[in-house]
Amino acid sequence: MRQMGNKAKLIEAATDLIHQKGYHTTTVDNILDKTGVKKSNFYYHFKSKEELALIALDSRIEQFEEEIINYTLLDGSISPKSRLKRFYKKISDYHESLNCERGCPFGNLAIEMSDVNEGFRSRLSVFFQNWESVLESCIAEGIKRGEFRSDIDPQHIASLLLCHLEGAIMMVKTYKTPEPLSSRIHSIMKLLEPI
Amino acid sequence: MRQMGNKAKLIEAATDLIHQKGYHTTTVDNILDKTGVKKSNFYYHFKSKEELALIALDSRIEQFEEEIINYTLLDGSISPKSRLKRFYKKISDYHESLNCERGCPFGNLAIEMSDVNEGFRSRLSVFFQNWESVLESCIAEGIKRGEFRSDIDPQHIASLLLCHLEGAIMMVKTYKTPEPLSSRIHSIMKLLEPI
DNA sequence: CTATTAGGTCTGACCGGTCAGTCCTAATTA
DNA sequence: TAATTAGGACTGACCGGTCAGACCTAATAG
């Protein structure tokens, strides 16, 4: 984290604040206060609050794919089942480390923005579909290896898993306990076992 | 619905607008415009926007439990499996009728408000837990009747189903297609089949 | 070597508009 | 006659966004 320019600082702060409070309730002034950047300089780097938020979303997506997906679901050095377990563990630990606050940075935004801003919706849609297809490959390989049951379409399982994950993170945030995610991983694995 | 007083009109409009746009982006003036009620009269009936929104949430919860839960998951005249199917059908049809917009009125609010307003969070938390326990009873009875597999705790299955449902509604809203919910019901039923 | 130009970054003052909420008076209705 | 509704003016805080100009550095021209 060496010598960050104002532009980078703004992107970082926006990413964090939007995850915390959502897009609409994060004000430009909030971002300015957190960074010490002046408003006029903000609008030198970005033409609008929306533009910054979209850039912040893109960078968050990239980071998630590089730091989470690549080291879990896409780690070819371990079995599909292990990959899936590691994936759940990592997500679950993350939300526990946040004291069950904030929720999913992507799911939150999907709910807040999908009906009112096509830019956010389409990015999130592509992102989720990509995530789903990575899950699908993991499941498909697991079925081939006999780790998972083979009587359900891997694509459908992937969809079920991603939807459940997003809903579970919502419940973690609502109930303020990690259980809906952490304590259910075992049941999910059981449902996927070969019959 | 004849001859509604201003108070009832305000609650109805608030319920609808908050489902459409969320709490923060729904302004008091929006609600006033929609109802034709004057601002002074608004504050005659409610001490704040928050108070109205909380009352609107309560009435929406009540309505949901009476009109959806009671006629599906709690309908003792049909089998647990049929109840569950009817439940999914009803929810799925509802979101299709909304052109895959809006999302779940409860899930939306849970994500928007859980971290910033304890009143909303606690109401939603109780509501979701109640919903889960109704699902659990349905599953438990289905297991007893041999309709569902018996090797997983009904409480865990209920949690999985509710989380998946909320996530699926999120995806319906994001992808703008009913598929994540409508086309996956069959797979869910298959996963629950006795082994 | 000096003067000029250019591009990128940053600033303080300011804009019109919106927010939730208040206040007051007068009319209407049950 | 008490509860409700109508009507409008008003507040202070805050919203996203604009603007003219200052500052720094490096390349270029005389």
Side-chain angles (χ1 to χ4, degrees):
Chain A
M1 229 186 286
R2 78 239 179 283
Q3 200 69 9
M4 249 200 243
N6 281 357
K7 185 168 184 178
K9 277 196 237 169
L10 289 167
I11 294 172
E12 195 191 62
T15 303
D16 195 54
L17 283 169
I18 291 172
H19 184 199
Q20 237 181 84
K21 324 201 313 156
Y23 174 78
H24 285 106
T25 42
T26 295
T27 71
V28 174
D29 286 333
N30 291 155
I31 301 170
L32 267 20
D33 287 346
K34 185 164 176 164
T35 53
V37 175
K38 301 297 171 184
K39 184 171 277 193
S40 35
N41 191 238
F42 178 105
Y43 284 98
Y44 167 74
H45 289 294
F46 307 99
K47 76 172 213 288
S48 65
K49 173 189 171 187
E50 182 188 343
E51 186 186 84
L52 168 57
L54 248 11
I55 290 171
L57 172 57
D58 285 338
S59 85
R60 178 116 212 187
I61 287 175
E62 204 181 331
Q63 179 213 327
F64 178 78
E65 288 172 343
E66 281 171 7
E67 295 178 14
I68 309 288
I69 306 272
N70 282 351
Y71 287 100
T72 59
L73 297 176
L74 288 176
D75 182 352
S77 72
I78 53 175
S79 79
K81 193 173 169 181
S82 302
R83 277 176 236 166
L84 194 58
K85 277 186 188 167
R86 189 184 284 183
F87 168 72
Y88 274 116
K89 178 82 165 65
K90 204 147 187 178
I91 304 271
S92 179
D93 285 352
Y94 173 67
H95 290 284
E96 204 160 344
S97 81
L98 293 177
N99 296 312
C100 305
E101 285 168 4
R102 299 198 180 198
C104 173
F106 311 109
N108 293 355
L109 226 36
I111 283 186
E112 185 182 2
M113 303 303 285
S114 285
D115 280 356
V116 294
N117 188 305
E118 175 59 20
F120 285 91
R121 193 206 64 79
S122 63
R123 272 171 177 78
L124 289 164
S125 182
V126 169
F127 164 72
F128 280 133
Q129 283 182 56
N130 188 51
W131 189 353
E132 249 183 85
S133 83
V134 173
L135 269 168
E136 181 188 338
S137 304
C138 182
I139 300 293
E141 196 188 325
I143 291 174
K144 232 178 269 170
R145 295 212 204 174
E147 287 186 327
F148 300 135
R149 59 192 290 174
S150 59
D151 59 336
I152 302 179
D153 185 348
Q155 194 184 328
H156 292 180
I157 294 184
S159 167
L160 291 177
L161 293 184
L162 181 59
C163 289
H164 168 266
L165 177 65
E166 285 299 325
I169 296 171
M170 178 194 291
M171 292 307 160
V172 167
K173 179 176 179 165
T174 308
Y175 292 161
K176 288 279 175 283
T177 156
E179 270 207 37
L181 186 51
S182 63
S183 305
R184 238 50 82 201
I185 301 176
H186 162 261
S187 300
I188 291 173
M189 288 312 194
K190 189 148 193 172
L191 282 171
L192 296 183
E193 272 174 14
I195 43 174
Chain B
M1 293 250 168
R2 229 61 302 252
Q3 202 73 7
M4 247 198 255
N6 282 357
K7 185 168 184 178
K9 278 197 236 170
L10 289 167
I11 294 171
E12 194 190 63
T15 302
D16 195 53
L17 283 169
I18 291 172
H19 185 199
Q20 236 182 84
K21 325 200 312 157
Y23 174 78
H24 286 106
T25 43
T26 294
T27 69
V28 173
D29 286 332
N30 290 154
I31 299 170
L32 265 22
D33 287 346
K34 184 163 178 165
T35 52
V37 176
K38 299 297 168 184
K39 189 171 272 196
S40 45
N41 193 237
F42 178 103
Y43 285 98
Y44 169 76
H45 289 294
F46 308 99
K47 76 172 213 288
S48 65
K49 173 189 172 187
E50 182 187 345
E51 186 186 84
L52 167 58
L54 249 10
I55 290 171
L57 172 58
D58 284 338
S59 86
R60 178 117 213 188
I61 287 174
E62 204 181 331
Q63 178 213 327
F64 179 78
E65 288 172 343
E66 281 171 7
E67 294 178 16
I68 309 287
I69 305 271
N70 283 351
Y71 288 99
T72 58
L73 297 176
L74 288 176
D75 182 351
S77 72
I78 53 174
S79 79
K81 193 173 169 180
S82 302
R83 277 177 236 165
L84 194 59
K85 277 185 186 167
R86 189 185 284 184
F87 168 72
Y88 274 116
K89 178 83 165 65
K90 203 146 191 178
I91 304 271
S92 179
D93 285 352
Y94 173 67
H95 291 283
E96 203 159 345
S97 81
L98 293 177
N99 297 311
C100 305
E101 284 166 3
R102 299 196 180 199
C104 173
F106 311 109
N108 293 355
L109 226 35
I111 282 185
E112 184 182 3
M113 305 302 286
S114 285
D115 280 356
V116 294
N117 189 306
E118 174 60 20
F120 285 91
R121 192 206 65 78
S122 62
R123 273 171 177 78
L124 289 163
S125 183
V126 168
F127 164 70
F128 280 132
Q129 282 182 57
N130 188 50
W131 190 352
E132 250 182 81
S133 83
V134 173
L135 269 167
E136 181 188 339
S137 303
C138 181
I139 299 293
E141 195 188 327
I143 291 174
K144 233 179 267 170
R145 294 212 206 172
E147 286 187 327
F148 299 134
R149 59 191 292 176
S150 57
D151 60 336
I152 302 179
D153 184 348
Q155 194 184 327
H156 293 179
I157 294 183
S159 167
L160 291 176
L161 292 183
L162 180 58
C163 288
H164 168 266
L165 177 65
E166 284 299 326
I169 295 172
M170 178 194 292
M171 293 305 161
V172 166
K173 178 174 181 169
T174 307
Y175 292 160
K176 288 282 175 279
T177 157
E179 270 206 38
L181 186 52
S182 64
S183 304
R184 237 50 82 203
I185 301 175
H186 162 259
S187 300
I188 290 173
M189 288 312 195
K190 190 148 193 173
L191 282 171
L192 297 184
E193 273 173 13
I195 44 176

